[in-house]
Amino acid sequence: MSAFGGPQRSCAKRTPSAGRLRTVNSEAPVDVVLIGGGIMSATLGTLIKQLQPDWSIRVYERLGAVAQESSNPWNNAGTGHAALCELNYMPEAADGGVDAAKAVSINEQFQVSRQLWSYLIGAGALPEPHNFINATPHMTFVHGEANIGYLRRRYEALKDQPLFHGIEFSEDAGKVGEWTPLITLKRPKKQKIAATRIEAGTDVDFGALTGYLLDDLVARGGEVHVNHHVTGLKKLPDGTWRIKLRHTVGRTPKVVNARFVFVGAGGGALALLQHSGIPEVKGFGGFPISGQFLRTTNPKVVAQHQAKVYGKAAVGAPPMSVPHLDTRVVDGERSLMFGPYAGFTPKFLKTSTWLDLPFSVRVHNLGPMLAVAWHNFDLVKYLVGELLASRAKKLKALQEFMPTATMKDWELITAGQRVQVMKKDPKQGGVLQFGTEVIAAEDGSIAGLLGASPGASTAASIMLDLLARCFPGQMTAWEPKIREMIPSYGRRLSDDPHEAAASLAATAAVLGIPA
């Protein structure tokens, strides 16, 4: 089996011991094979190992280290999505109303992650929480009468929700400046602004978390194999899956059989699910969106901003492109990130090829993909504009949040690829879906995850749902252990203010964050 290096905080520094990798041509099927070494596979592997310690589990990662694509801390905003500040989870209706249902649902899912992480810390499976999660207030910020009116209505809809306890709203520049000085410093005094704030927000390094979860999986008998590219998936007559692999360094082909396969390969998941031949993937396509962030490590700038501040998306912008100015903590070092600046490339992964998009087109998904293109002209126009944006335009977007920003303090970094789900729709022919979607075979022998945000933050909830779909016969036996790890399992915390407050307090105490 493979092992990881010492207790380093950044996934980028984790390198497997290549000399301990075993050649895989075993006749006995592996119980669980997880394709992709990101947060989804790490979370699912952790859950299964806790629930069924005797099952054999192997993780196969194409790159030379785990968590190098979407889970890498510099490839995502690390928000710890809880809908505390993301306005796209509460869009304004035509009549001006706002509905809190989706925001509450996202927050519920994040609480499942908090409970799982807290349990794993107590069980010694995760290190001290500051290695991957840090307290960071979550804010929203808008200007202009119409936007202020919307934000006020959003606040009114959330202030009595148990999971949004402590949310504050202010139109006073002085108060907003107390929360984060960079927002108001040298801002025109006549400009009307408003903001909300919840102190109990977090910044999560999902790269480090992925590494720690996989470290524990290996310690409990699981295996993690890097530099292994899956080239084929085929269902065998006995119900198992034959997985063809190629070692990316020695180019040696290998074969392994598995009773259950999870495809958690991010943007690479669609191609593998298509290759598997399961009918459930028919009609699904992927729309890749690239991005960039501005980042600063200037201590004088970083010290003036301790929050994640989200604004409103531009017309036609995908939800994942909502502008935000974020405090990040990676390897114990603080920095600020602003963005993302969206763009387009046909790649489905940051390290894949330009042929991903054309090779993903099939007869069964061509119609939905063309329908999406027809109905999302605003998105296409937005992406073209982003691609052509100059550095001066990028700086201007930052100055909407931080009037004092100068380009000399900031560097441009390339973010990870996101592949949004396109699927059939009876009314429009095809829709572009923002979020995640689990695709599972009818017999539950294989499943995969498509889509993007809020993915990582809600991984525990998504993987529990996947277990229920793929292992219905085991769920009754597993339920006591699931409830031990996640006390609120099967219930909505938002339905009981007392239980919500108790859960928030309990996990906050373990994670070292405000309740």
Side-chain angles (χ1 to χ4, degrees):
M1 66 180 66
S2 63
F4 293 89
Q8 301 167 45
R9 296 177 185 169
S10 171
C11 62
K13 296 180 181 178
R14 295 173 176 273
T15 54
S17 301
R20 300 181 65 190
L21 286 173
R22 297 193 300 195
T23 300
V24 180
N25 280 299
S26 174
E27 294 182 359
V30 179
D31 291 312
V32 176
V33 164
L34 309 173
I35 301 174
I39 187 63
M40 291 297 173
S41 291
T43 300
L44 181 58
T46 295
L47 287 170
I48 292 176
K49 206 62 178 174
Q50 289 285 334
L51 297 171
Q52 202 71 45
D54 59 322
W55 283 7
S56 55
I57 301 176
R58 287 181 184 158
V59 180
Y60 290 104
E61 165 57 44
R62 180 176 58 93
L63 300 178
V66 300
Q68 294 305 294
E69 284 282 354
S70 295
S71 299
N72 184 279
W74 299 122
N75 284 344
N76 62 70
T79 301
H81 283 280
L84 301 177
C85 57
E86 302 93 338
L87 299 179
N88 52 294
Y89 296 136
M90 288 182 66
E92 189 173 10
D95 63 0
V98 290
D99 185 354
K102 186 173 183 180
V104 172
S105 175
I106 295 294
N107 198 302
E108 290 274 4
Q109 293 177 69
F110 185 61
Q111 300 311 318
V112 173
S113 293
R114 282 178 50 152
Q115 290 176 56
L116 176 62
W117 300 339
S118 298
Y119 170 82
L120 294 172
I121 290 170
L126 285 176
E128 290 296 315
H130 65 81
N131 289 290
F132 65 90
I133 185 169
N134 287 273
T136 308
H138 283 200
M139 294 177 57
T140 60
F141 169 75
V142 298
H143 55 81
E145 288 287 358
N147 289 333
I148 291 172
Y150 157 74
L151 192 62
R152 187 185 300 111
R153 292 189 296 275
R154 177 182 180 273
Y155 164 74
E156 291 294 332
L158 291 175
K159 65 183 178 64
D160 295 324
Q161 290 287 340
L163 296 179
F164 290 79
H165 175 73
I167 187 171
E168 302 174 79
F169 172 84
S170 181
E171 298 178 53
D172 180 66
K175 172 58 70 175
V176 176
E178 290 177 12
W179 291 341
T180 175
L182 289 185
I183 296 295
T184 57
L185 190 62
K186 293 191 177 180
R187 183 171 295 278
K189 292 184 178 180
K190 292 183 178 181
Q191 187 180 65
K192 294 183 178 181
I193 65 172
T196 63
R197 178 180 186 265
I198 293 185
E199 187 180 2
T202 56
D203 173 74
V204 184
D205 181 345
F206 286 106
L209 178 60
T210 297
Y212 291 127
L213 291 173
L214 292 177
D215 278 347
D216 184 68
L217 181 64
V218 169
R220 295 174 188 273
E223 300 180 25
V224 177
H225 298 265
V226 298
N227 292 316
H228 278 73
H229 178 51
V230 175
T231 59
L233 285 168
K234 183 178 180 180
K235 186 76 172 291
L236 300 180
D238 64 359
T240 63
W241 286 89
R242 184 176 68 189
I243 306 169
K244 292 184 178 180
L245 305 113
R246 186 182 71 249
H247 196 288
T248 59
V249 177
R251 316 297 289 182
T252 307
K254 302 180 181 181
V255 175
V256 61
N257 286 6
R259 294 188 174 90
F260 172 75
V261 177
F262 171 67
V263 184
L270 177 61
L272 288 171
L273 289 170
Q274 289 175 333
H275 199 284
S276 74
I278 60 173
E280 289 79 6
V281 77
K282 289 184 176 179
F284 282 88
F287 186 85
I289 299 176
S290 62
Q292 295 178 316
F293 283 98
L294 285 172
R295 177 177 64 187
T296 181
T297 56
N298 184 328
K300 292 182 180 179
V301 177
V302 174
Q304 298 180 73
H305 187 82
Q306 173 59 26
K308 292 182 180 288
V309 184
Y310 273 56
K312 290 196 74 175
V315 175
M320 58 169 286
S321 295
V322 173
H324 45 94
L325 179 61
D326 290 3
T327 294
R328 293 304 323 272
V329 184
V330 178
D331 289 335
E333 299 294 327
R334 293 185 178 272
S335 61
L336 299 184
M337 285 175 61
F338 177 79
Y341 301 99
F344 176 80
T345 166
K347 288 185 176 183
F348 279 8
L349 290 165
K350 194 173 180 179
T351 56
S352 59
T353 76
W354 293 80
L355 297 176
D356 287 342
L357 179 57
F359 279 4
S360 74
V361 178
R362 302 285 192 277
V363 173
H364 58 73
N365 66 14
L366 179 58
M369 293 175 74
L370 291 174
V372 166
W374 176 261
H375 292 291
N376 288 271
F377 180 74
D378 282 348
L379 174 58
V380 175
K381 181 180 178 181
Y382 168 80
L383 292 176
V384 170
E386 288 284 282
L387 281 170
L388 299 176
S390 63
R391 288 180 66 88
K393 187 175 180 180
K394 288 180 169 65
L395 177 62
K396 184 177 179 181
L398 170 58
Q399 289 173 338
E400 288 287 317
F401 280 73
M402 178 186 167
T404 58
T406 58
M407 193 56 84
K408 65 180 180 64
D409 292 323
W410 299 80
E411 62 175 329
L412 198 62
I413 63 173
T414 301
Q417 285 289 102
R418 299 292 185 268
V419 181
Q420 304 296 152
V421 175
M422 292 187 283
K423 64 180 183 178
K424 291 180 180 178
D425 179 76
K427 293 183 179 180
Q428 301 185 54
V431 293
L432 186 64
Q433 176 176 299
F434 298 104
T436 51
E437 176 119 13
V438 173
I439 305 228
E442 185 178 5
D443 65 358
S445 64
I446 187 171
L449 188 74
L450 303 179
S453 180
S457 302
T458 58
S461 179
I462 293 171
M463 293 300 104
L464 283 172
D465 289 344
L466 183 148
L467 289 175
R469 289 178 61 179
C470 296
F471 300 96
Q474 281 84 9
M475 291 304 289
T476 299
W478 286 347
E479 188 168 328
K481 181 64 176 182
I482 293 176
R483 291 192 182 280
E484 180 185 349
M485 295 188 290
I486 301 156
S488 70
Y489 178 70
R491 302 190 307 280
R492 282 169 45 94
L493 290 172
S494 55
D495 291 338
D496 186 333
H498 296 292
E499 185 178 6
S503 179
L504 288 169
T507 57
V510 176
L511 297 173
I513 59 178

